[in-house]
Amino acid sequence: MSYFPCGREFVFINIFINGQTSEAHKINAGVPQGSLLGPTLFLIFINDLPSEIVSSVNMYADDTTVYEQTSKTYKDINLASDLSSDLKEVVKWGKTWLVTFNSSKTKLLSFHHHRGTPSFPSVIMDETTLQEANCLERHLGLKFTPDLKWNSYILSVAKDVGKMVGSFFRTRKFLTPAAVHYLYKSQIRPKMEYCCHIWAGSPKTSLSCLDRVQRRLRRLIGDELFKSLQPLSHRRDVASLSLLYRYYSGRCSEELKTLVPPPKVFVRDTRLASFTQRNHPHTLEVPVARKEFHANSFFPRTVALWNKLPADCFPANFNMDFFKRKINHHLACSF
């Protein structure tokens, strides 16, 4: 695929397949897909979209989320009004650049921990009142619910991968145990670990659904190969600690770096303080969590694990492979 400008109004596109070239066709808006320059040109094309928006904006590829949070002085009615104004600017931007936004596919979701479903003021986009959704299905691969709990997402993942494991039973006479073992590690287990650092603090009743899927493999691959599979909880802890190590070392965006809790400061020179400073100089303050929901989120949960690591897990300079090997060994011995 290739495309080239012609004047100021149109871009012409050609398709190349097996040495054959199609006729040039003109396009007057958007960015062609399937080319090397396409992603870069798309980012340039939408880069000025947030400039007229008052609310917070998150953009990842072609997914754009406009959001804001309420406070004691910033009520629901103010938030809804600002969102409607921002969506008006989005539609205006689209008309300027010949891009049509489908308001019927735009979803509105309010996150809260209230009992029941509170009534949220109307948000309007292109003269259409957006209907509040029960959840956001597969937003960047995840399922978001109003209470920000991951039970339904984990259950849906367990159901999907359970069907995949079931297909192994139906085709077991064509697959060796080693082949099933390899396919599980390369195709199924990654689906059960996608973004696991976010939902690893979910209730055990939900996480056990994933454990049951892995245990089913014992009948297919035998005890010896099954023993080589690490527990999923162990792998989730390793993934969370590795991500925190990356953030702590500054190998991330500045926004993520600022979220890392500060080093722990000991007010009194106690025996515990001396021992900690001598054996674990990277100890962090565990974020104060008044509710279980917050205590099980990424930073409070992972920092608590982090502070229990021995000092020899931390290399002098950033080395992810070394850190992973050390925490793998430490957590395996502690399991």
Side-chain angles (χ1 to χ4, degrees):
M1 177 182 293
S2 67
Y3 48 93
F4 49 91
C6 183
R8 295 185 178 181
E9 297 183 358
F10 299 105
V11 170
F12 284 80
I13 184 171
N14 293 77
I15 307 297
F16 294 88
I17 300 178
N18 296 328
Q20 302 296 317
T21 306
S22 70
E23 295 181 1
H25 293 271
K26 63 183 180 181
I27 55 175
N28 60 2
V31 175
Q33 296 183 9
S35 63
L36 295 176
L37 283 176
T40 301
L41 292 176
F42 178 77
L43 293 177
I44 295 173
F45 184 77
I46 65 170
N47 193 49
D48 63 334
L49 175 59
S51 60
E52 301 297 328
I53 296 177
V54 177
S55 304
S56 301
V57 182
N58 275 346
M59 303 173 69
Y60 183 82
D62 60 345
D63 283 314
T64 301
T65 303
V66 182
Y67 65 97
E68 198 53 83
Q69 63 181 0
T70 58
S71 64
K72 292 181 179 179
T73 58
Y74 190 64
K75 303 298 182 181
D76 288 359
I77 189 68
N78 306 117
L79 189 150
S81 176
D82 286 346
L83 287 179
S84 296
S85 299
D86 290 335
L87 291 176
K88 184 178 180 180
E89 291 296 329
V90 169
V91 172
K92 180 181 177 182
W93 180 92
K95 291 179 179 178
T96 301
W97 297 105
L98 306 180
V99 177
T100 302
F101 292 98
N102 192 340
S103 57
S104 64
K105 292 185 178 180
T106 302
K107 292 188 176 182
L108 171 68
L109 183 64
S110 62
F111 298 107
H112 57 84
H113 287 286
H114 302 297
R115 293 183 179 179
T117 305
S119 177
F120 192 77
S122 298
V123 175
I124 299 173
M125 178 180 182
D126 198 16
E127 300 181 355
T128 301
T129 301
L130 300 181
Q131 298 299 316
E132 191 165 357
N134 294 324
C135 66
L136 289 182
E137 291 278 0
R138 301 301 180 186
H139 181 64
L140 297 181
L142 294 173
K143 180 180 180 180
F144 291 85
T145 56
D147 58 4
L148 281 178
K149 293 182 179 179
W150 304 103
N151 301 5
S152 59
Y153 168 74
I154 295 171
L155 184 61
S156 65
V157 171
K159 184 180 292 187
D160 290 343
V161 296
K163 293 177 182 178
M164 298 175 71
V165 172
S167 67
F168 289 159
F169 281 92
R170 293 189 293 272
T171 58
R172 62 193 306 177
K173 63 180 180 180
F174 305 107
L175 298 171
T176 64
V180 174
H181 182 257
Y182 174 80
L183 288 172
Y184 171 75
K185 291 200 301 181
S186 61
Q187 301 297 322
I188 296 180
R189 191 169 65 183
K191 295 180 181 295
M192 297 195 290
E193 296 179 337
Y194 176 71
C195 288
C196 64
H197 61 283
I198 296 177
W199 47 263
S202 298
K204 291 183 179 180
T205 52
S206 297
L207 297 175
S208 62
C209 296
L210 302 177
D211 296 328
R212 285 196 293 270
V213 172
Q214 178 160 294
R215 285 198 297 268
R216 291 176 62 191
L217 285 180
R218 186 188 292 270
R219 294 166 52 193
L220 289 169
I221 64 178
D223 291 339
E224 288 301 316
L225 280 176
F226 185 78
K227 290 178 182 177
S228 67
L229 296 175
Q230 295 174 320
L232 295 176
S233 58
H234 170 91
R235 292 178 58 84
R236 288 192 292 266
D237 287 343
V238 171
S240 297
L241 287 168
S242 300
L243 201 59
L244 180 57
Y245 177 61
R246 184 179 296 277
Y247 295 166
Y248 177 80
S249 303
R251 304 302 177 99
C252 60
S253 66
E254 190 60 33
E255 291 83 357
L256 285 173
K257 173 64 176 174
T258 57
L259 295 177
V260 177
K264 185 172 181 59
V265 177
F266 293 92
V267 180
R268 293 183 298 173
D269 188 16
T270 61
R271 184 179 301 177
L272 175 62
S274 300
F275 177 82
T276 302
Q277 291 171 343
R278 184 172 62 253
N279 292 278
H280 194 342
H282 305 283
T283 303
L284 300 175
E285 286 281 359
V286 179
V288 178
R290 295 190 178 92
K291 295 185 178 181
E292 185 179 3
F293 174 81
H294 183 207
N296 291 328
S297 61
F298 174 71
F299 279 110
R301 177 181 54 81
T302 309
V303 169
L305 289 172
W306 172 279
N307 289 346
K308 295 177 183 178
L309 296 176
D312 61 1
C313 287
F314 300 92
N317 299 310
F318 180 81
N319 189 327
M320 181 60 78
D321 292 336
F322 177 91
F323 181 76
K324 278 189 174 182
R325 285 197 304 270
K326 285 292 187 177
I327 61 174
N328 248 312
H329 177 73
H330 172 73
L331 293 177
C333 293
S334 304
F335 186 73

